[in-house]
Amino acid sequence: MNSILDTRPALRAEIDSVAEVAGYLWQKGWAERNGGNITVNITEHVDDDLRHMPALTEPIAIGTTLPHLRGCYFYCKGTGKRMRDLARQPMQNGSVIRILDDCASYVIIADEPVMPTSELPSHLSMHDYLIGSGSTYKASLHTHPIELVAMSHNKEMLQKDVMTKILWSMIPETLAFAPLGLGIVPYELPGSVRLAEATLEQIKDYDVVMWEKHGVCAVGRDIMDAFDQIDVLNKSAVIYMCAKSMGFTPDGMTPEAMREVQEVFQLPKQRPC
Ligand code: 13P
Ligand code: ZN
C-alpha cells in the first residue's frame, strides 16, 4: 500500500523517530496494552499535494476550540493502538489529521482512517498553547512511567515542586536536562476536556507534568526531546526508590551543589532548588 511517507523523506525521518521512541516506551515497561500516546506537529512537512489530499473521514469534533491550530497537521497515535505495534508500523497504528477552519474539528487524511488517541484534547490544547506562545516545540508525549506514577500516590509528593526538588537532587543530570521540573495535575478522568484544561495550566510553567495516579505528559522540540525529559526524571525516581528500599531516605545533593549545576549549565531558574 502507498504511504504519504514514500515520497517525503523528511516526514519519514520524523515518523521513524516516533516509532523509535514508541519502542523505547514498550521496552521500559511504560506502555502496557495501549498505554500512552504521541502527537507531532508535522505542518512544516506538508506540501500542496498533502494540503489537497481528500479526507478519509467526515469532520470529527475535538471537544474544544483551539484557534492557533487552523490548517495544522498532526501525526497522532491511534486510540487503542499499542506502542509496541506502532514501533514497527507507525502508519497502521497512527494517522495524520488536518485541523479544519472552525478550529474545533479535524479530518483524517492518511494513510488509513485510524482514529486518533483518546487524549487528543490534551495533546492539541498543548500544541495550541505552544504555537500561540511562539514556541518551536513540535512534539507531545504521554506515557505511564512506573516509578514516577508510584510517587504520585502520596499527598505530600503532590504539593507544588516537592517532587521536582527530590528528583533534581538525586543526580545532577536530572536538573540539567529537565530544568523546569515536574508540574502536577490533580487526578482527572483520562481523555477528558477537564484533564486537557488542567494540563494546559501546568504546561505554561513546566515541560513535563504528572497526571496524578495515571502518567506523565511532556512537550519537547521533537519526540526524542520529550522522551528524554521523562526518562531523566524517572531515572531519579528509580534512584529515590532504590535508596528507600535499602532502608534510608536519600540525602540528595545539597542546595549549593544544585545551584552550581544551574550556574554552570546556564539553566533557567524559575524555581529555586
Ligand atoms: P489511547 O489508546 O486512546 O491513546 O489511550 C491510552 C492512554 O494512555 C489514555 O490515557
Ligand atoms: Zn494514559
Side-chain angles (χ1 to χ4, degrees):
M1 188 194 149
N2 288 344
S3 168
I4 59 166
L5 305 185
D6 292 343
T7 51
R8 296 179 179 86
L11 180 57
R12 175 177 288 281
E14 195 88 62
I15 303 303
D16 281 352
S17 185
V18 169
E20 186 179 340
V21 166
Y24 298 156
L25 298 174
W26 166 248
Q27 286 161 13
K28 283 187 158 290
W30 298 354
E32 72 291 344
R33 200 173 183 277
N34 62 313
N37 21 79
I38 292 173
T39 60
V40 181
N41 182 345
I42 57 157
T43 312
E44 66 183 301
H45 300 295
V46 171
D47 48 37
D48 280 349
D49 281 353
L50 274 188
R51 248 182 293 278
H52 295 115
M53 203 149 168
L56 298 174
T57 60
E58 293 298 312
I60 302 163
I62 299 168
T64 178
T65 304
L66 302 165
H68 300 107
L69 297 190
R70 175 176 291 123
C72 285
Y73 290 75
F74 295 90
Y75 170 83
C76 309
K77 193 206 86 155
T79 186
K81 301 295 186 187
R82 297 177 177 85
M83 288 293 180
R84 62 181 190 263
D85 293 336
L86 194 155
R88 287 176 290 107
Q89 297 186 304
M91 297 307 282
Q92 276 88 64
N93 293 281
S95 58
V96 170
I97 65 170
R98 173 192 296 139
I99 308 295
L100 299 180
D101 283 349
D102 64 2
C103 302
S105 60
Y106 66 88
V107 289
I108 303 174
I109 63 157
D111 282 345
E112 299 173 24
V114 176
M115 275 299 286
T117 170
S118 58
E119 302 289 4
L120 201 63
S122 285
H123 281 261
L124 292 185
S125 298
M126 289 188 285
H127 286 293
D128 183 68
Y129 169 74
L130 292 170
I131 294 171
S133 62
S135 167
T136 54
Y137 282 13
K138 293 282 173 354
S140 166
L141 165 63
H142 160 60
T143 186
H144 301 165
I146 303 162
E147 292 80 5
L148 282 175
V149 175
M151 286 178 82
S152 81
H153 284 260
N154 177 274
K155 279 199 180 52
E156 169 64 13
M157 294 286 179
L158 296 172
Q159 302 304 309
K160 185 174 169 59
D161 294 334
V162 168
M163 235 196 282
T164 292
K165 285 179 191 165
I166 291 173
L167 297 170
W168 276 351
S169 75
M170 289 299 103
I171 175 171
E173 277 85 344
T174 299
L175 174 55
F177 299 122
L180 299 180
L182 184 64
I184 304 291
V185 174
Y187 181 82
E188 292 288 358
L189 186 71
S192 63
V193 171
R194 284 200 316 274
L195 177 59
E197 287 167 355
T199 303
L200 186 59
E201 279 315 301
Q202 292 297 305
I203 221 72
K204 293 173 182 170
D205 293 331
Y206 300 87
D207 281 356
V208 190
V209 300
M210 166 64 71
W211 287 351
E212 180 186 339
K213 303 184 185 98
H214 176 175
V216 166
C217 198
V219 291
R221 290 184 304 279
D222 53 34
I223 194 62
M224 208 58 83
D225 179 38
F227 170 77
D228 280 340
Q229 293 203 59
I230 300 175
D231 197 25
V232 293
L233 286 163
N234 199 68
K235 177 63 167 273
S236 278
V238 172
I239 293 167
Y240 180 78
M241 291 176 71
C242 278
K244 281 285 199 184
S245 67
M246 286 187 280
F248 61 88
T249 299
D251 290 341
M253 293 160 61
T254 63
E256 297 73 44
M258 286 162 66
R259 277 195 288 275
E260 186 184 23
V261 172
Q262 277 190 326
E263 294 295 336
V264 173
F265 284 74
Q266 297 178 328
L267 302 174
K269 294 179 194 150
Q270 278 100 319
R271 232 143 273 116
C273 288

